[in-house]
Amino acid sequence: MRRYNAIVVQKAKYTLRTWQPEDASSLAEQLDNKKIWDNCRDGLPYPYKLEYAETVIDIIRKKEGIHDFCIEVNGKAVGNIGFTPGTDVERFNSEVGYVLGEEYWNRGIVTDALQEAIRYYFAHTDKVRVFALVFEHNLPSMRVLEKAGFTKVGVMKKSIFKNERFIDAHVYEFLKASD
């Protein structure tokens, strides 16, 4: 199994790179935030503990290729962009998700990092479509996707059950440019 230790892109505001074991404490610190949990799948636990971060990074590092990108700011792991490849008839699609520590919100970091991650992902995989589901109340995430070039393709009514209530999922997609 190939393991990657790579910087994908380095910019003035952030570095997009592969995850390293020493990132676990920073990841746990950033994700132990109810505001973040309220906008993520329940698979992201709250409270977010160091042990979970260590396990997640270990799983990521064992994957073939790069599907998960660490967002680093000032030498500190502060967020993630991750792709979940589809299977069977959806094998040329991937769902993308992202998180960023609250103190780094509204700086344009995740929008730019998402564009770079998608560019890299399309260049290194056979995927032709990336999509994202956004909770109805998460307007900032919708803006991130729109600024990153995604198109809103619909709303799935009451498709998400979070915090003991049903909410709508807004569906966005980004298609690989034709060759």
Side-chain angles (χ1 to χ4, degrees):
M1 182 172 304
R2 294 184 345 212
R3 293 192 185 194
Y4 294 88
N5 296 319
I7 292 177
V8 174
V9 67
Q10 194 155 11
K11 300 240 177 153
K13 291 183 182 180
Y14 71 92
T15 300
L16 192 66
R17 62 172 175 78
T18 55
W19 283 96
Q20 304 303 314
E22 57 271 16
D23 294 325
S25 61
S26 180
L27 178 63
E29 176 186 330
Q30 297 301 315
L31 296 187
D32 190 30
N33 181 326
K34 177 93 166 48
K35 290 179 187 176
I36 291 173
W37 182 83
D38 283 341
N39 290 294
C40 292
R41 294 176 184 269
D42 288 344
L44 181 83
Y46 181 78
Y48 197 96
K49 302 291 183 194
L50 176 62
E51 299 79 31
Y52 189 73
E54 291 169 339
T55 300
V56 166
I57 290 172
D58 186 53
I59 290 168
I60 287 170
R61 290 180 52 77
K62 289 179 180 174
K63 291 179 183 179
E64 182 73 22
I66 300 176
H67 298 275
D68 300 89
F69 300 82
C70 172
I71 302 170
E72 175 188 301
V73 175
N74 298 324
K76 185 176 175 182
V78 300
N80 180 66
I81 297 172
F83 295 89
T84 303
T87 59
D88 195 24
V89 297
E90 296 175 324
R91 66 187 169 274
F92 295 104
N93 297 274
S94 280
E95 182 176 5
V96 66
Y98 45 88
V99 294
L100 187 67
E102 185 177 5
E103 68 183 276
Y104 302 95
W105 293 356
N106 301 312
R107 296 187 188 181
I109 293 170
V110 80
T111 299
D112 193 72
L114 181 60
Q115 291 171 318
E116 293 292 346
I118 289 170
R119 197 172 356 266
Y120 181 93
Y121 196 69
F122 279 158
H124 292 87
T125 69
D126 61 358
K127 305 307 179 213
V128 298
R129 180 177 170 271
V130 172
F131 70 95
L133 302 178
V134 182
F135 298 1
E136 66 183 30
H137 57 265
N138 194 347
L139 299 178
S141 188
M142 291 180 204
R143 282 193 300 276
V144 162
L145 292 169
E146 290 163 0
K147 287 180 182 178
F150 281 70
T151 301
K152 187 175 188 175
V153 294
V155 177
M156 296 189 304
K157 298 291 186 183
K158 297 184 180 181
S159 64
I160 294 171
F161 187 75
K162 183 75 175 184
N163 290 325
E164 301 302 317
R165 66 185 186 100
F166 287 100
I167 59 174
D168 298 345
H170 292 242
V171 184
Y172 287 81
E173 71 177 4
F174 187 100
L175 298 174
K176 183 177 184 178
S178 299
D179 296 330

